[in-house]
Amino acid sequence: KRLRTLSLRKISLFLKQPRSKSAKAKKFRGQRVKVSAWVHRLHIKGKDMMFVELRDGSGFLQCVLTNKLCHTIDALTLTLESTVTIYGVITKLPEGKTAPGNHELVADYWEVIAKAPSGDEAFTNKVTKDSDPSLRLDMRHLVIRNRETSSVLKVRSKLLKSFRKFYEEHEFYEVNPPCLVQTQVEGGSTLFNLDYYGENASLTQSSQLYLETCLPSLGNVFCIAESYRAEKSNTRRHLSQYTHLEGELPFINFDDLLAHLEDLICVTIDNLLADPEAAALVMELNPEFEKPSRPFMRMDYVDALAYLKENNITKEDGSLYEFGDDIPEAPERAMTDKIGRPIMLINFPVEIKSFYMKKAAHDRRVTESVDILLPGVGEIVGGSMRIDDLDELMAGFKREGIDPTPYYWYKDMRKYGSCPHGGYGLGVERILAWLCKRYTVRDCCLYPRFVGRCAP
Ligand code: 4AD
């Protein structure tokens, strides 16, 4: 009888189901199966037994090869990362033994699909956990095969799914704005400029302005798009390309925006941890992970300055941070780590924020803006209410020295039915660094891009 290749995840899912509940599982247990996968680990036990741990991305499975199956040339020269097909019966592990899923495949036939090299070219000689970080980045295409790295990528996939679930439940439409643009959002100094058929263009820093244009046609909208920043400094939380989750909501006030953000983060984490596979991966990567509790602490910018002063967190030259200063990464992190829980830092001064941010009614020196800070990472979200009055917007362009001409379409939003609205951008790699307890955001994307790194 021809056997269908089963994924390792399917096998473990079948076996996890209580026998009485699933006829399928009952039928499946003790049956002969066929699996195709990569050799993740190899352990030779004498001349008549070998253990091959398989990996196929969906899971891991221990296979036992005995007697004649171990005596072939292929068996004697089998290497890590070779691909194989193994046939056999799934069996409960003998008492006292451990293996992924507590079961093993007792093989009765197997074959090599493609053999990986041995000797100098062997997989284990290419890169190890202790290799220099830049070699590990050169070899990232191989590094992603290790358990820890692939676990982060799996959590990433599940996290994006959880965000989408939140938006689905809150009736948001997803849109896909362009990456090639001719307007800036977050300041000219971090633009990646390029030649676009003889015209100047750049890679997008944020899709915010496009999301704003969608409000009259789609209502609440979000996007998950790549954003690009020519960040010249090498920090553990800055990438040149990152995944930016952005949302925009019409007819809200600043309090609604803050409540929505709290919901977005808490419900998404709940969605994620409700998935048993994701929950297990998060706990494996970050055993001390605790869900953030509501309400998030709200802290005014001026109170943050006071906190820095009280806690003797100063500028490099020893002077104090004053009203109008941007709070850089190091002091922001020092404060957040000391407080040890999520903070919504609000009401930043006009002069350190972008042209589009709405001024607060209670104090025209500050904006209705918010940064969400998390312990260990710092800022993961930047959001604000947007200026909805055309004259005020024009003043914002003027203040920032931006030519408004290419923004004709953005200005039209204030002309044809303006509305109070607000939105935000969340750095996906940053929230992942917090969730999976990674030292740097570089470990939270597939192939990181930062100063001096554009390959593989
Ligand atoms: O605070 P930012 O610059 O805000 C905006 O771009 C707004 N236009 C978003 C909006 O309102 N729709 O960036 C938002 C978030 C930051 O909080 C951070 O998490 C992430 O994007 N981010 C970066 N992540 C990795 N590498 C970088 N270079 C990043 N720059 C910003």
Side-chain angles (χ1 to χ4, degrees):
K1 186 175 142 198
R2 205 177 134 69
L3 287 175
R4 206 164 45 92
T5 305
L6 282 170
S7 79
L8 305 186
R9 173 191 279 133
K10 214 161 229 160
I11 291 176
S12 70
L13 282 182
F14 279 155
L15 291 177
K16 264 190 210 142
Q17 296 185 35
R19 269 166 168 248
S20 55
K21 276 199 188 151
S22 164
K24 214 172 187 181
K26 217 175 189 173
K27 228 176 96 193
F28 184 77
R29 197 181 285 269
Q31 257 203 19
R32 189 164 181 260
V33 298
K34 169 188 174 190
V35 292
S36 296
W38 286 260
V39 176
H40 186 65
R41 286 208 188 109
L42 198 54
H43 178 56
I44 295 168
K45 217 166 169 222
K47 65 178 183 34
D48 290 328
M49 189 178 249
M50 59 200 269
F51 292 96
V52 182
E53 190 183 326
L54 295 183
R55 182 193 76 239
D56 73 349
S58 77
F60 298 85
L61 176 68
Q62 174 167 289
C63 303
V64 199
L65 277 56
T66 49
N67 302 325
K68 272 199 307 207
L69 298 180
C70 308
H71 301 158
T72 63
I73 295 283
D74 273 346
L76 296 171
T77 59
L78 189 62
T79 46
L80 290 183
E81 297 303 319
S82 294
T83 39
V84 293
T85 295
I86 303 185
Y87 298 74
V89 175
I90 299 279
T91 319
K92 205 167 173 289
L93 273 191
E95 236 13 82
K97 304 277 179 209
T98 53
N102 279 327
H103 53 256
E104 60 187 8
L105 184 103
V106 178
D108 54 51
Y109 178 77
W110 74 284
E111 59 197 6
V112 169
I113 297 172
K115 199 168 269 178
S118 55
D120 284 351
E121 278 300 297
F123 186 79
T124 40
N125 286 334
K126 299 301 273 184
V127 64
T128 68
K129 227 177 152 55
D130 304 321
S131 300
D132 181 73
S134 95
L135 174 71
R136 283 179 66 80
L137 283 161
D138 287 341
M139 292 292 146
R140 187 140 173 100
H141 57 295
L142 302 183
V143 168
I144 57 174
R145 297 184 186 197
N146 80 44
R147 193 172 176 127
E148 202 169 320
T149 311
S150 60
S151 295
V152 175
L153 295 176
K154 287 175 187 175
V155 173
R156 187 186 159 102
S157 164
K158 300 271 184 187
L159 178 71
L160 292 177
K161 198 171 148 195
S162 306
F163 274 122
R164 287 198 164 95
K165 184 165 189 268
F166 171 88
Y167 285 123
E168 179 79 40
E169 283 164 1
H170 289 74
E171 297 182 353
F172 278 63
Y173 281 109
E174 179 168 3
V175 292
N176 307 106
C179 280
L180 293 163
V181 298
Q182 291 188 312
T183 42
Q184 52 148 298
V185 189
E186 299 300 332
S189 67
T190 57
L191 276 183
F192 272 114
N193 293 307
L194 52 93
D195 175 78
Y196 188 74
Y197 306 110
E199 282 184 38
N200 287 331
S202 60
L203 295 174
T204 189
Q205 298 169 307
S206 158
S207 301
Q208 176 198 320
L209 310 190
Y210 293 114
L211 292 190
E212 286 184 57
T213 68
C214 295
L215 299 180
S217 57
L218 302 171
N220 293 333
V221 278
F222 80 99
C223 70
I224 300 178
E226 296 302 288
S227 276
Y228 301 84
R229 306 272 171 113
E231 307 276 5
K232 277 105 197 164
S233 53
N234 241 320
T235 81
R236 52 199 258 210
R237 69 176 198 190
H238 286 94
L239 292 163
S240 306
Q241 172 177 347
Y242 70 96
T243 303
H244 205 171
L245 176 128
E246 294 181 271
E248 200 68 31
L249 300 83
F251 304 110
I252 57 163
N253 63 28
F254 190 40
D255 269 340
D256 297 331
L257 178 66
L258 299 183
H260 165 82
L261 276 167
E262 212 171 76
D263 244 17
L264 170 74
I265 292 173
C266 295
V267 174
T268 298
I269 300 294
D270 285 344
N271 287 345
L272 180 76
L273 298 181
D275 177 317
E277 187 189 349
L281 289 168
V282 170
M283 292 331 277
E284 200 177 299
L285 292 163
N286 184 5
E288 294 116 59
F289 179 74
E290 274 179 35
K291 285 201 281 190
S293 58
R294 296 200 234 195
F296 288 1
M297 177 180 183
R298 289 180 193 188
M299 188 189 239
D300 215 274
Y301 166 84
V302 287
D303 295 330
L305 296 182
Y307 183 96
L308 295 179
K309 187 176 169 188
E310 277 159 28
N311 288 274
N312 216 10
I313 304 172
T314 63
K315 292 186 192 169
E316 268 174 24
D317 64 6
S319 62
L320 292 174
Y321 286 99
E322 286 172 19
F323 187 89
D325 285 334
D326 203 1
I327 303 174
E329 182 172 342
E332 180 195 274
R333 191 194 294 274
M335 178 178 82
T336 317
D337 290 355
K338 221 165 175 169
I339 292 173
R341 48 185 278 229
I343 305 170
M344 283 181 155
L345 196 53
I346 55 174
N347 296 336
F348 290 87
V350 173
E351 57 268 38
I352 57 168
K353 286 293 177 185
S354 303
F355 68 90
Y356 55 76
M357 286 194 188
K358 190 169 180 159
K359 289 181 187 160
H362 72 278
D363 180 353
R364 304 297 285 169
R365 297 177 309 150
V366 302
T367 50
E368 288 190 319
S369 51
V370 54
D371 279 2
I372 298 185
L373 316 177
L374 292 181
V377 188
E379 181 197 329
I380 61 145
V381 170
S384 74
M385 293 303 290
R386 324 303 192 187
I387 296 174
D388 49 54
D389 175 77
L390 186 55
D391 294 338
E392 224 181 289
L393 180 66
M394 296 310 280
F397 282 129
K398 196 161 171 209
R399 190 189 73 236
E400 296 301 317
I402 299 170
D403 172 12
T405 320
Y407 294 82
Y408 70 93
W409 48 274
Y410 187 65
K411 289 184 329 200
D412 271 356
M413 304 320 301
R414 279 80 190 155
K415 193 167 155 189
Y416 299 102
S418 194
C419 71
H421 64 288
Y424 53 86
L426 175 149
V428 170
E429 291 78 9
R430 289 199 187 171
I431 194 172
L432 270 168
W434 166 74
L435 198 59
C436 301
K437 209 172 176 32
R438 298 296 98 182
Y439 176 74
T440 160
V441 289
R442 294 175 188 175
D443 292 339
C444 300
C445 51
L446 188 57
Y447 289 107
R449 296 289 182 257
F450 54 92
V451 202
R453 167 72 53 186
C454 203

